[in-house]
Amino acid sequence: AEEPAAAAALQQIRLDLPRTEVQRDAAGAATLQAVVDSEVIQALLERVLFVWSMKQPDVGYVQGMNDILLPLLFVFLAERVNVSLEAGELHIA
């Protein structure tokens, strides 16, 4: 019973992630959007959302969780690693 749930969650997450958008009127929105669209961040978002959905089966994954996770991820990255945004590219040191 767990495998179909995992497959369904992963499928929905993969449908939603490309639609994850930075608020358009935010400072540096185009640069931030390029970072959000990067393979590294997309994979990180997918991993976190999938693990959440498996560890919280009563809640699972629901559409929009990607938009809730995004600002939390930016805060986490900004506080814990040296992040540099150059021309829409993410450099983590």
Side-chain angles (χ1 to χ4, degrees):
E2 198 170 301
E3 287 184 25
L10 193 54
Q11 180 181 10
Q12 188 61 51
I13 291 166
R14 287 179 174 164
L15 284 173
D16 290 346
L17 282 181
R19 298 185 282 222
T20 306
E21 292 186 1
V22 172
Q23 188 174 342
R24 288 192 167 96
D25 60 350
T31 300
L32 288 174
Q33 187 62 53
V35 170
V36 170
D37 293 338
S38 73
E39 288 182 30
V40 170
I41 296 299
Q42 288 286 304
L44 183 56
L45 289 167
E46 179 180 303
R47 194 171 314 127
V48 170
L49 292 168
F50 180 74
V51 169
W52 166 266
S53 71
M54 294 297 100
K55 294 292 184 183
Q56 302 295 327
D58 291 341
V59 177
Y61 174 79
V62 295
Q63 189 174 5
M65 284 184 164
N66 54 320
D67 294 320
I68 295 169
L69 176 59
L70 186 61
L72 300 173
L73 178 64
F74 278 149
V75 169
F76 175 83
L77 287 175
E79 289 181 350
R80 289 172 174 78
V81 296
N82 181 12
V83 177
S84 170
L85 303 175
E86 297 174 13
E89 295 181 10
L90 176 67
H91 303 281
I92 300 175

